[in-house]
Amino acid sequence: MRIYFDHAATTPVDPQVEASMRPYFAGRFGNASAQYEEGQLAHKAVEEARIKVADLTGARPEEIVFTGSGTESNNMAIKGTAWALRDKGNHIITSSIEHPAVLESCRWLERAGYEVTYLPVDEYGLINPALVEESIRKETILISIMQANNEVGTIEPIAEIAEVARRHQIKLHCDAVQTVGNIAINVVELGVDMLSMSAHKLYGPKGVGALYIKEGTSLASLLHGGHQESGRRAGTENTVGMVGFGKAAELARERLIQGPARLEKMRDTMIDGIMKRIKWVRLNGHPKRRLPGNVNISIEFVEGEGMLMHLDMMGISCSTGSACQAADLKASHVLLAMGLSHEMSHGSLRFSLGHLTTEAEIARVVEVLPGIVEKLRAMSPLTVKERVNA
Amino acid sequence: MLDYSDKVKDHLLNPRNVGEMEHPSGVGKVGNPVCGDIMEMCIKVEDEVIVDAVFRTFGCGAAIAASSMVTELIKGKKIKEALRLSKDEVASALDGLPPIKMHCSVLGVEALQKAIKNYQEQKSSLKN
Ligand SMILES: Cc1ncc(COP(=O)(O)O)c(C=O)c1O
Ligand code: FES
């Protein structure tokens, strides 16, 4: 049995979600926009799913637009706002630790003449709401800040940033792909105008996301065509995916009643266990304000990919922010923005826990990791004084 | 995980010739400009033959496997032959490397060449 510690990357589809989707492949295959019975069955299923996603986030169903991914939701919020408000201004504020779906959308807009401020973060990955306020110009049309960072799990002060945005009457978008389903959230209490989510992070299928768009928010569409999604997102509805997302949202809501306390406890057990058994380890991200299932550490003098491969061969999956593991051979932009040295980002490992994670699995990692680290450290030419004395 | 060959995995799990050396004939230390990794190689030379070689690497699986393979390939070789070792030979001895990881085998070869150069410089300064 493999031990899966990469739930921040994606989660397995819940068996109940899978079962909910199955009828819509061949049986109830109708086009949700069609007026006859097959179409109406599909339409009803899509609208029920919309209600469930709305219920999970405190939105109203008509404020939820289904998309093809969290990436698309982010693109739509940013490019759609930029286009809709192009006569008002050309400045966007975001942070330096956003997901590439946000960062690259912003960079694309920069090439089109927009200006973007990428806010720095502190050593814990926190964004300072006061800095957001200082960066506002009269041309500012959008603030886009993630609710929780996917790599280090730091939870940002969105409500405070929303307060700033409201005071200056600037639209606020929030990438909540890592939080929806993992912590209780409410779009009204957060005070955001747009919020991105993705089904595959909450035991739903891949390739379906949603964007909450507060009533009255002007937003241009990215995909033009038919009248689906109230004309906001053209394309025949992905009924199967939407139904799955709806079921996943419903199940997440039930799980959240218990609260994420069990995950938090396991997370802290894992962090403590690793810190106790391995020297020269740093916790990345905020000790308290962090996602319930996120463990991100940097182990000095070793490189992440080597650790990852050793763990993989022992049946354990996790991820690293090391440059060696990146397709572009660049170290994690999140860790660098938090001030980590190149060496420290090299030695980073992220274990992301899920609701099926067991204490035995945590114990297994805590048991095998020290041996792997010791072996790789013996191979490493990096040394510090303490290491010589150890 | 990257599509590594069984040979690469073997050299990562069981690297050959890891460590430091007392009184090496030559030492080469190189940094990887691409991803920032570091590799150190020590050689012992007798009668222009590399009789021993050890390495230490702060780098990815491919870098560790490549340095391990380099030490294997050069032990018992004449300096002249060792200087001809190319990154492609190292990669093919490992049954290939993913294209994005080719630069890691360069590192092993460069560390070796630096170690040899270091040996030759020491030798000529002894003569003078
Ligand atoms: C914070 C964050 N935003 C956006 C995304 C993109 O979502 P998707 O994979 O659905 O495109 C992810 C997941 O990869 C994420 O973690
Ligand atoms: S050493 Fe960094 S990618 Fe190989």
mmCIF file of all heavy atoms in Angstrom, chain A residues 8 69-71 74 99 101 146 148 150 175 177-178 198 200-201, ligand 1:
data_model
loop_
_atom_site.group_PDB
_atom_site.id
_atom_site.type_symbol
_atom_site.label_atom_id
_atom_site.label_comp_id
_atom_site.label_asym_id
_atom_site.label_seq_id
_atom_site.Cartn_x
_atom_site.Cartn_y
_atom_site.Cartn_z
ATOM 1 N N ALA A 8 -2.347 18.325 -1.509
ATOM 2 C CA ALA A 8 -2.402 19.705 -2.001
ATOM 3 C C ALA A 8 -2.275 19.723 -3.526
ATOM 4 O O ALA A 8 -2.702 20.664 -4.178
ATOM 5 C CB ALA A 8 -1.302 20.549 -1.367
ATOM 6 N N SER A 69 -11.472 24.563 -14.459
ATOM 7 C CA SER A 69 -10.385 24.321 -13.501
ATOM 8 C C SER A 69 -10.226 25.527 -12.589
ATOM 9 O O SER A 69 -10.767 26.599 -12.862
ATOM 10 C CB SER A 69 -9.054 24.090 -14.235
ATOM 11 O OG SER A 69 -8.706 25.236 -14.982
ATOM 12 N N GLY A 70 -9.438 25.349 -11.551
ATOM 13 C CA GLY A 70 -9.069 26.483 -10.710
ATOM 14 C C GLY A 70 -8.262 27.484 -11.524
ATOM 15 O O GLY A 70 -8.390 28.697 -11.364
ATOM 16 N N THR A 71 -7.442 26.958 -12.412
ATOM 17 C CA THR A 71 -6.637 27.811 -13.285
ATOM 18 C C THR A 71 -7.537 28.721 -14.115
ATOM 19 O O THR A 71 -7.305 29.930 -14.212
ATOM 20 C CB THR A 71 -5.771 26.930 -14.223
ATOM 21 O OG1 THR A 71 -4.862 26.183 -13.410
ATOM 22 C CG2 THR A 71 -5.009 27.759 -15.232
ATOM 23 N N ASN A 74 -9.126 31.483 -12.012
ATOM 24 C CA ASN A 74 -8.189 32.584 -11.755
ATOM 25 C C ASN A 74 -8.004 33.462 -12.993
ATOM 26 O O ASN A 74 -8.003 34.685 -12.906
ATOM 27 C CB ASN A 74 -6.828 32.040 -11.313
ATOM 28 C CG ASN A 74 -6.843 31.527 -9.873
ATOM 29 O OD1 ASN A 74 -7.739 31.872 -9.099
ATOM 30 N ND2 ASN A 74 -5.879 30.707 -9.524
ATOM 31 N N HIS A 99 -0.273 31.357 -6.948
ATOM 32 C CA HIS A 99 -0.166 30.226 -7.875
ATOM 33 C C HIS A 99 0.160 30.781 -9.274
ATOM 34 O O HIS A 99 -0.265 31.872 -9.617
ATOM 35 C CB HIS A 99 -1.509 29.483 -7.894
ATOM 36 C CG HIS A 99 -1.481 28.202 -8.656
ATOM 37 N ND1 HIS A 99 -1.742 28.139 -10.007
ATOM 38 C CD2 HIS A 99 -1.219 26.933 -8.261
ATOM 39 C CE1 HIS A 99 -1.643 26.875 -10.405
ATOM 40 N NE2 HIS A 99 -1.331 26.121 -9.368
ATOM 41 N N ALA A 101 -1.163 30.309 -11.963
ATOM 42 C CA ALA A 101 -2.369 30.699 -12.714
ATOM 43 C C ALA A 101 -2.680 32.175 -12.504
ATOM 44 O O ALA A 101 -3.211 32.835 -13.403
ATOM 45 C CB ALA A 101 -3.565 29.835 -12.292
ATOM 46 N N MET A 146 -4.355 35.120 -2.622
ATOM 47 C CA MET A 146 -4.830 33.766 -2.339
ATOM 48 C C MET A 146 -5.226 33.631 -0.870
ATOM 49 O O MET A 146 -4.687 34.327 -0.007
ATOM 50 C CB MET A 146 -3.765 32.732 -2.705
ATOM 51 C CG MET A 146 -2.522 32.764 -1.844
ATOM 52 S SD MET A 146 -1.027 32.019 -2.609
ATOM 53 C CE MET A 146 -1.628 30.659 -3.570
ATOM 54 N N ALA A 148 -5.044 30.659 0.922
ATOM 55 C CA ALA A 148 -3.963 29.894 1.544
ATOM 56 C C ALA A 148 -2.985 29.486 0.473
ATOM 57 O O ALA A 148 -3.382 29.124 -0.638
ATOM 58 C CB ALA A 148 -4.496 28.661 2.255
ATOM 59 N N ASN A 150 -0.507 27.241 -1.561
ATOM 60 C CA ASN A 150 -0.484 25.807 -1.839
ATOM 61 C C ASN A 150 0.806 25.129 -1.410
ATOM 62 O O ASN A 150 0.819 23.946 -1.117
ATOM 63 C CB ASN A 150 -0.736 25.559 -3.325
ATOM 64 C CG ASN A 150 0.053 26.479 -4.230
ATOM 65 O OD1 ASN A 150 0.018 27.691 -4.079
ATOM 66 N ND2 ASN A 150 0.796 25.897 -5.142
ATOM 67 N N ASP A 175 -7.980 33.530 -4.590
ATOM 68 C CA ASP A 175 -7.757 32.154 -5.037
ATOM 69 C C ASP A 175 -7.884 31.265 -3.801
ATOM 70 O O ASP A 175 -6.992 31.220 -2.956
ATOM 71 C CB ASP A 175 -6.354 32.048 -5.652
ATOM 72 C CG ASP A 175 -5.999 30.626 -6.042
ATOM 73 O OD1 ASP A 175 -6.761 29.695 -5.712
ATOM 74 O OD2 ASP A 175 -4.931 30.447 -6.666
ATOM 75 N N VAL A 177 -8.474 27.945 -3.918
ATOM 76 C CA VAL A 177 -8.406 26.555 -4.377
ATOM 77 C C VAL A 177 -7.918 25.620 -3.258
ATOM 78 O O VAL A 177 -8.362 24.491 -3.149
ATOM 79 C CB VAL A 177 -7.498 26.456 -5.628
ATOM 80 C CG1 VAL A 177 -7.165 25.012 -5.962
ATOM 81 C CG2 VAL A 177 -8.179 27.140 -6.818
ATOM 82 N N GLN A 178 -7.017 26.128 -2.404
ATOM 83 C CA GLN A 178 -6.482 25.267 -1.339
ATOM 84 C C GLN A 178 -7.366 25.233 -0.088
ATOM 85 O O GLN A 178 -7.174 24.383 0.778
ATOM 86 C CB GLN A 178 -5.073 25.726 -0.949
ATOM 87 C CG GLN A 178 -4.017 25.389 -1.984
ATOM 88 C CD GLN A 178 -3.746 23.899 -2.114
ATOM 89 O OE1 GLN A 178 -3.910 23.134 -1.170
ATOM 90 N NE2 GLN A 178 -3.326 23.475 -3.286
ATOM 91 N N SER A 198 -11.562 24.674 -7.008
ATOM 92 C CA SER A 198 -11.296 23.571 -7.925
ATOM 93 C C SER A 198 -11.708 22.257 -7.276
ATOM 94 O O SER A 198 -11.321 21.970 -6.145
ATOM 95 C CB SER A 198 -9.804 23.553 -8.266
ATOM 96 O OG SER A 198 -9.528 22.491 -9.140
ATOM 97 N N HIS A 200 -10.947 19.117 -7.778
ATOM 98 C CA HIS A 200 -10.048 17.983 -7.510
ATOM 99 C C HIS A 200 -9.228 18.147 -6.228
ATOM 100 O O HIS A 200 -8.509 17.228 -5.831
ATOM 101 C CB HIS A 200 -9.141 17.693 -8.723
ATOM 102 C CG HIS A 200 -8.030 18.663 -8.958
ATOM 103 N ND1 HIS A 200 -6.750 18.420 -8.529
ATOM 104 C CD2 HIS A 200 -7.993 19.862 -9.585
ATOM 105 C CE1 HIS A 200 -5.980 19.444 -8.906
ATOM 106 N NE2 HIS A 200 -6.708 20.327 -9.539
ATOM 107 N N LYS A 201 -9.341 19.293 -5.575
ATOM 108 C CA LYS A 201 -8.654 19.440 -4.291
ATOM 109 C C LYS A 201 -9.554 19.006 -3.144
ATOM 110 O O LYS A 201 -9.133 18.992 -1.992
ATOM 111 C CB LYS A 201 -8.240 20.899 -4.076
ATOM 112 C CG LYS A 201 -7.475 21.518 -5.228
ATOM 113 C CD LYS A 201 -6.039 21.081 -5.318
ATOM 114 C CE LYS A 201 -5.343 21.869 -6.422
ATOM 115 N NZ LYS A 201 -3.943 21.541 -6.571
HETATM 116 C C1 LIG C 1 -3.646 27.835 -5.010
HETATM 117 C C2 LIG C 1 -3.991 27.172 -6.294
HETATM 118 N N1 LIG C 1 -4.553 27.882 -7.286
HETATM 119 C C3 LIG C 1 -4.888 27.327 -8.455
HETATM 120 C C4 LIG C 1 -4.661 25.995 -8.705
HETATM 121 C C5 LIG C 1 -5.025 25.444 -10.047
HETATM 122 O O1 LIG C 1 -6.163 24.623 -10.001
HETATM 123 P P1 LIG C 1 -6.412 23.562 -11.147
HETATM 124 O O2 LIG C 1 -5.471 22.456 -10.926
HETATM 125 O O3 LIG C 1 -7.840 23.135 -10.977
HETATM 126 O O4 LIG C 1 -6.205 24.250 -12.445
HETATM 127 C C6 LIG C 1 -4.077 25.209 -7.710
HETATM 128 C C7 LIG C 1 -3.812 23.774 -7.905
HETATM 129 O O5 LIG C 1 -2.961 23.315 -8.605
HETATM 130 C C8 LIG C 1 -3.731 25.813 -6.480
HETATM 131 O O6 LIG C 1 -3.150 25.102 -5.514
#
